[in-house]
Structure formats: C-alpha cells, structure tokens
Amino acid sequence: ELFCRDLRGSLDDFLESAFQALEVNYPKFYKMDASSKLGFLAAEMLLKEISLRAEYKPEQVAVILSNAHASLDTDVRYFESMKTMASPALFVYTLANIVAGEICIRNGIKGENAFFVWPQFDPFQMHQYVESVMASEKTHACIAGWVDVMGGHHDVFLYLAEKKKRGNAPDHSVVHLQNLYHLKEYGTVNG
C-alpha cells in the first residue's frame, strides 16, 4: 500500500496530500488540472521502483489512456472562469490527452501516444490497442489505463505492459485487465 487517506475531503485535497506523501519534486504539479494530477500520481506510483529512462529509449515507450468524460471536468471549470477572466493556465487542460502529455514529460517518453473516450473502462479495447502498439518493433513498453475525473467522481487504473517479462508479471490479457480493474474497484489491490 503506497498511500492511504480519509476520503471525506475534496479530490484536490486528496491529490495534494498524495503528492506530498510521495515526496515528488515536481513544481509543475500545482498548475495541473485534476485529471492530469490524478494520472500523474498514478504513474508515479506505478513507476515508483522502475526507471523507464534507464531501461528504454524515449521512443520505445508508449502511453495509451482512456476515460469516459474526456476533459469535461476542466471544460466546466474553464467555462466558469470565463465569467470573470478566462484562465489561460486552465485552457491548456481542456484537451483530454494532456494527462498523457504530463506523464510523458515527467518520464521522458516520446513513443506512441493515444487517448480514447469510452463509456466505461473497456479491457477488450484497451488490450487490443496496446497489443497492436506493442507489435511494433520500436515499442518495448506501454503505460496504459483509465484516468477519469468529473465533478466529485474520479477513477484511475494504470498498468505497465512490457515485451520483456519483469519477475512473475502476468501475461497481458483481457481477463487479467478485467480482474485487475475489478479488484481496484473494491480496494483489494495493494502496491
């Protein structure tokens, strides 16, 4: 277990507490929207003991993400800011794929990058797309998953797929993704 906190506060409070608990030195974090912060922190936790920069060339790592609300949470906040003075800093985050960009910048990733909007996490579609990306000779690893924020709702699930097996890592399969996501929903996945 990497971080636990009473969830009665706001998402913003949780994200800031998680950022501080992880002791990450990345001042740009405070300028990100909630979706980018959530995805950034999930990637930090996912890669806590893995250095992609040391193991792969920047173009050998891909990032494939999805969610149900695109950037709607930030779009609403930006729309509200336009009533007084539109926030250029917030405007940057009115694209759903910015969360992938933040993960790429932090980890020096320059490989394929895609973002999909699906009604719910779809392990079949995610598996199919990641497998097609990993079939390329140039892609050796892929951060993939789900980062969704809308109002009071947030949901995140990231995983790392690699061509080379790491320890006793399971095969990349639809059933495995479905099981991991289901376990995450009930809070039984640790670490």
Side-chain angles (χ1 to χ4, degrees), residues 111-124:
E112 184 163 340
N113 187 310
F115 195 99
F116 298 99
V117 179
W118 297 322
Q120 60 197 19
F121 178 70
D122 187 331
F124 178 78

Side-chain angles (χ1 to χ4, degrees), residues 3-10 14:
F3 177 74
C4 283
R5 181 170 185 268
D6 183 351
L7 297 176
R8 287 180 280 197
S10 71
F14 171 78

Side-chain angles (χ1 to χ4, degrees), residues 108-172:
I109 298 169
K110 295 182 180 177
E112 184 163 340
N113 187 310
F115 195 99
F116 298 99
V117 179
W118 297 322
Q120 60 197 19
F121 178 70
D122 187 331
F124 178 78
Q125 292 290 353
M126 183 61 68
H127 174 265
Q128 293 294 100
Y129 198 82
V130 169
E131 286 295 308
S132 71
V133 168
M134 295 291 285
S136 163
E137 286 185 24
K138 70 177 189 173
T139 304
H140 294 267
C142 181
I143 297 172
W146 179 262
V147 181
D148 195 33
V149 174
M150 185 60 210
H153 166 80
H154 59 279
D155 186 18
V156 63
F157 166 66
L158 295 184
Y159 68 95
L160 179 65
E162 295 178 283
K163 282 186 178 172
K164 67 177 181 178
K165 286 282 189 198
R166 188 179 297 274
N168 61 351
D171 289 333
H172 183 247

